[in-house]
Amino acid sequence: MENTSYTFQADNSSSSPSVLSLCPTATTLYLLPSLYTLLFITALPGNAVSLWVFLRSIPTLSPTHIYLTNLSFSNLLLSLAAPFLAAYYALGSARLQNCLLCQLVLHVVTPLMHSNIYIGLLILTWVALGRFAALVTNTHASQPSVCMKVLPAGFFTCLAKTSFAGRVCGVVWVLAVTAIVPVTVYYSVNEATGSREEGVEKGKVEMCYSPVVELGGRLSAWFTVPVIILFFVCYLLVLISYMTVLTHITRSRSNTHLNTSQCMLGRALRKIVIIQVVLSVCLLPHHIFKPIFISLAHNQKTSSPLDPNSCHPLSTLVEVKNVLLLLAAFRGSTDPFMYFILDKTFRYETLKLLTCKRTGLDTRHTCSNSNHNAGQSVDGAMLG
């Protein structure tokens, strides 16, 4: 299921590949449904607990908590789409395109999934910028960061305000909804419906899992271009933020005392590495493959098949695309685990919530209590 890719283009042959069927393998029929089920059972409770902790258990309100609250809510919505996608891949090749499941996937699940993938991407970008601002302004190196000389002081001031974080999240939600939903509606109402009617006229009944649904049309395909550009812009911003912070940490270590800032900088370094790896593993492969898939689908040409029941020539590539889309969605499951592993306050509050009793986790730090409190705001900024 993809609403942002080119329609398969064929040559002027008598039998158009557009009426060919996709031939799902065990990857589509069994692996994808199983993994989407795993996504649901991990992302739903994990993000529900995260949302509860951020809203009810952490008393200090910071910009990072605003971002992470919105990120957890977005991941929660994304997890609700997983059961329908599991059913779609397991049953789509046996259901008609006008069945309730297929229409639900086209009109509701598709915009919900794509919107929340990019909402998460944009929020993570702002979390990275907040982390960058927190470290370069609260730790000191032999000389100030070049970014503090280039960027206006108001930029760092805004990133430290909860009101600014709230406005950013509001704009992110509005942009995602107003950009994804209209294109999805056009795709599902005009492109998919029109192709289905064309198939009926040719005497072929389209199944739910079909080229019509998986390949989409030209308008939704053109929308893919700015979406891909948006991803790489955000990814580049995050990468620049990470590299700037790493450089600043390296220079800061020679100017800080071991019992003050070194523990805080060490935690920051570990969090940067883990978050960057998760972002690269989950989102980057999908956005690298998407333009390749679009190009192949747009330029592919084939001769008339001798057997009208032949498989669509892009069947394998469609499965690869769907696996990588699942990988992008799986980031919604990884966030709660990152919060738990990387942040002591979140881990303490979560265990307290789950065990209904206080634990002594906050007494087992290698750094002193005063150092933990001094690094608390930076700890929050390092989440993502």
Side-chain angles (χ1 to χ4, degrees):
M1 179 273 307
E2 176 71 32
N3 67 311
T4 55
S5 54
Y6 281 103
T7 302
F8 178 83
Q9 301 293 314
D11 57 6
N12 296 325
S13 59
S14 58
S15 299
S16 171
S18 63
V19 298
L20 296 178
S21 299
L22 294 175
C23 297
T25 66
T27 299
T28 296
L29 298 176
Y30 303 106
L31 179 62
L32 285 175
S34 300
L35 292 178
Y36 272 110
T37 301
L38 178 63
L39 171 64
F40 176 74
I41 62 179
T42 55
L44 182 65
N47 286 285
V49 171
S50 300
L51 198 59
W52 177 268
V53 169
F54 289 132
L55 291 176
R56 301 296 299 270
S57 300
I58 298 181
T60 304
L61 188 64
S62 68
T64 300
H65 290 141
I66 299 294
Y67 292 133
L68 296 183
T69 299
N70 282 269
L71 184 60
S72 297
F73 183 69
S74 175
N75 291 339
L76 195 62
L77 292 178
L78 181 63
S79 69
L80 296 178
F84 300 99
L85 291 170
Y88 165 75
Y89 289 115
L91 306 173
S93 58
R95 297 288 184 92
L96 297 179
Q97 195 181 104
N98 59 355
C99 73
L100 178 61
L101 172 63
C102 193
Q103 292 303 304
L104 193 61
V105 169
L106 286 175
H107 296 284
V108 179
V109 175
T110 295
L112 181 66
M113 182 177 187
H114 285 272
S115 296
N116 285 281
I117 284 177
Y118 292 102
I119 286 172
L121 169 67
L122 292 171
I123 291 178
L124 281 175
T125 302
W126 283 101
V127 171
L129 294 175
R131 174 167 56 254
F132 153 76
L135 274 182
V136 299
T137 56
N138 289 286
T139 60
H140 304 284
S142 56
Q143 56 183 354
S145 172
V146 176
C147 296
M148 295 188 67
K149 300 178 181 179
V150 176
L151 297 175
F155 173 77
F156 298 97
T157 303
C158 287
L159 288 177
K161 294 181 179 179
T162 56
S163 58
F164 178 79
R167 289 194 296 270
V168 166
C169 291
V171 171
V172 166
W173 282 94
V174 171
L175 284 177
V177 172
T178 56
I180 298 289
V181 172
V183 175
T184 303
V185 170
Y186 180 87
Y187 152 76
S188 59
V189 172
N190 291 279
E191 295 175 347
T193 302
S195 298
R196 183 178 69 238
E197 293 174 352
E198 180 183 352
V200 172
E201 291 176 358
K202 294 180 179 179
K204 181 178 179 62
V205 179
E206 289 285 357
M207 307 308 292
C208 187
Y209 181 76
S210 65
V212 171
V213 177
E214 290 295 324
L215 298 178
R218 286 188 177 275
L219 180 63
S220 57
W222 282 111
F223 181 72
T224 300
V225 176
V227 167
I228 294 174
I229 293 174
L230 172 66
F231 167 77
F232 281 105
V233 168
C234 291
Y235 187 82
L236 184 61
L237 285 174
V238 173
L239 185 61
I240 291 174
S241 298
Y242 290 162
M243 297 306 296
T244 303
V245 167
L246 289 175
T247 302
H248 190 78
I249 288 175
T250 301
R251 291 191 292 116
S252 297
R253 281 180 168 173
S254 61
N255 295 275
T256 54
H257 297 290
L258 181 62
N259 61 348
T260 56
S261 299
Q262 286 295 326
C263 291
M264 180 181 65
L265 295 175
R267 290 194 300 267
L269 181 60
R270 290 192 297 270
K271 293 169 184 178
I272 289 172
V273 172
I274 293 177
I275 294 171
Q276 183 65 41
V277 167
V278 169
L279 192 63
S280 299
V281 170
C282 292
L283 291 175
L284 188 60
H286 171 65
H287 289 88
I288 290 176
F289 182 76
K290 182 181 285 187
I292 298 174
F293 177 80
I294 290 172
S295 177
L296 292 175
H298 179 63
N299 298 314
Q300 178 76 29
K301 295 185 181 299
T302 184
S303 58
S304 302
L306 298 176
D307 184 0
N309 296 320
S310 299
C311 294
H312 195 288
L314 295 180
S315 294
T316 301
L317 291 180
V318 166
E319 290 191 318
V320 174
K321 168 184 69 71
N322 291 334
V323 169
L324 295 181
L325 181 63
L326 167 65
L327 189 61
F330 243 104
R331 190 202 52 76
S333 287
T334 62
D335 286 342
F337 292 102
M338 284 197 301
Y339 305 158
F340 189 85
I341 293 172
L342 298 177
D343 185 76
K344 293 181 175 65
T345 302
F346 181 85
R347 181 165 63 248
Y348 171 75
E349 294 294 342
T350 301
L351 290 176
K352 186 174 71 172
L353 176 65
L354 296 178
T355 61
C356 298
K357 63 181 181 180
R358 296 188 64 85
T359 62
L361 294 177
D362 55 342
T363 62
R364 300 187 181 97
H365 303 330
T366 57
C367 305
S368 65
N369 290 332
S370 59
N371 294 334
H372 171 73
N373 293 332
Q376 188 69 19
S377 60
V378 178
D379 265 349
M382 299 310 296
L383 288 171

